[in-house]
Amino acid sequence: MSAVSVEASNPTVISYVYRLRLAYDGDAGGAPATLFLKTRQLERKTGAGSWGHHEVEFYRRLAPAAPPDILVRCLDSHWDEASGDWHLLLEDLKDTHAVPSPWPFPPTLADSETVIRTLAQFHAAWWDDPRLGTSVGTWANPADLPQSQQRMTEAVARLADALGDRLAPERRAFYERLIDRVEPLSARYHTRRNMTVVHGDAHVWNCFLPTAGTAGTPKLFDWDGWRLDYATDDLAYQMALHWYPDLRRQRERHMLDVYHAELQARGVTGYDRQALQDDYRLSVLWTTMTPVWQHAGGVPAWIWWSHLARIHLAADEFGCRELLG
C-alpha cells in the first residue's frame, strides 16, 4: 500500500466514521480499494472514555465465534485504556449493500422480515451457550439491584427536570412504580434460561442488506451496546420503540411469528411462541427506560423524544402497567 486518503467522513451520535481510499504500488492482488474507519468522536465528552471499548471487545471475542456471513468483517481493532482512544477498521460494503430504508422511514415488509430473520440467526447462535457469563459477557448481580434502582431514579429525575410539565404526571408515576418493582420484574432475567447475546441497538438501520442484483447476505453492525439478556429486548427496541401504532398493529404479530420460526429453524428448542410473547411484553416494559437512558447519556432529543411517545403507546397497548402490580 502506497497511500491512504479520506474519501468521506461522517459524525454519528457517539463516534466518527471515515471512508478510506487505499492506493497500492503495482497489482493490489485483490486487496480492498476502500475501508471504513470507526473511531472516537473527540468532541463528545459524556462517557467518552467508554464508548467504543465494548464494540472492540465484541469484534475480538464474539465475532470470531459468531455466524461469519451475517457480520460486517473487522480487519483491525484497538482500544487504549489510558486515553480512551479506540478504532475499528471495517470492510466497506457501500458497493454491494445498503440500509433497508432511509431513516426514519420503516422498510418494506419483506425487508423487515429479512432483518428480523438475520437477528434471529445471530440470537440462535448464542442461545443458552455455556460461554455466556464465563468467557462471553457478564451476568448482572442481583445484589446490585439497589444501585440499579438508584441510577434509574436519578435518570428519571433528570428527564423530569428537563421536560417539566411536558412529562405527564402519570408517566412520572409509571417510572416510580417501575423502579419500585425492579426486583420482581428482574426474576425472568435471573433465571438465565433462554438467554442470548443481544445487540442492544437493534434498529433496522444497523443491518445492511444486499442491493438489487448483487450477491451477498445481510450484515449486522454497530455492536457497542451488546449484552447478555433475553432476545426480545432487541425485538421491542426494533418495533415497539421505533414504530407508530398503525404500522405496529399491522406487522408486529407477524414479525414475531417470523422471528420465532427462524429460531426454530436454527435449532432453538424449548421456547414456544407463548414464551416469546410473554418475554416481548416484558421487554416492552423495560424499553420504556430506553429514552430515559438516552437522555441521560446525552443522545439528542430528536432521537429520544419520539421514542418516549412511541414506547409508552406500545406499553399501554400491551397492558404493561398490569406487570407493575
Side-chain angles (χ1 to χ4, degrees), residues 81-262:
E81 185 175 2
S83 66
D85 290 336
W86 60 274
H87 75 253
L88 294 165
L89 193 62
L90 303 166
E91 66 176 325
D92 178 14
L93 298 173
K94 185 177 180 180
D95 293 336
T96 59
H97 288 69
V99 292
S101 61
W103 184 90
F105 302 117
T108 64
L109 177 60
D111 284 347
S112 292
E113 291 173 347
T114 298
V115 172
I116 210 161
R117 285 194 185 100
T118 305
L119 198 58
Q121 291 173 35
F122 180 85
H123 288 163
W126 289 102
W127 201 272
D128 283 347
D129 192 290
R131 291 170 290 182
L132 301 184
T134 55
S135 60
V136 173
T138 57
W139 297 111
N141 189 337
D144 294 335
L145 286 177
Q147 293 94 314
S148 297
Q149 289 173 299
Q150 182 61 33
R151 288 193 295 270
M152 292 171 70
T153 299
E154 292 170 356
V156 169
R158 286 197 294 272
L159 179 66
D161 288 345
L163 290 181
D165 60 8
R166 291 165 292 189
L167 182 66
E170 56 268 26
R171 287 194 180 167
R172 180 67 182 266
F174 172 94
Y175 283 120
E176 290 172 353
R177 184 59 178 159
L178 175 62
I179 294 166
D180 185 60
R181 296 279 295 168
V182 162
E183 183 174 358
L185 289 169
S186 299
R188 163 68 182 94
Y189 171 89
H190 290 296
T191 66
R192 300 183 184 178
R193 294 287 307 277
N194 290 314
M195 305 287 269
T196 188
V197 176
V198 300
H199 185 286
D201 189 21
H203 56 70
V204 295
W205 303 284
N206 274 339
C207 183
F208 285 135
L209 301 184
T211 53
T214 62
T217 56
K219 305 283 187 176
L220 299 167
F221 61 98
D222 272 4
W223 289 94
D224 195 72
W226 73 272
R227 65 180 188 274
L228 309 185
D229 221 315
Y230 35 93
T232 51
D233 278 9
D234 276 347
L235 308 188
Y237 189 96
Q238 186 169 119
M239 296 186 290
L241 189 70
H242 284 88
W243 288 355
Y244 286 98
D246 54 348
L247 183 67
R248 185 165 43 76
R249 290 169 191 145
Q250 292 172 22
R251 293 187 178 182
E252 193 170 47
R253 180 169 292 277
H254 170 70
M255 296 297 288
L256 291 172
D257 289 341
V258 168
Y259 176 85
H260 189 257
E262 187 67 26

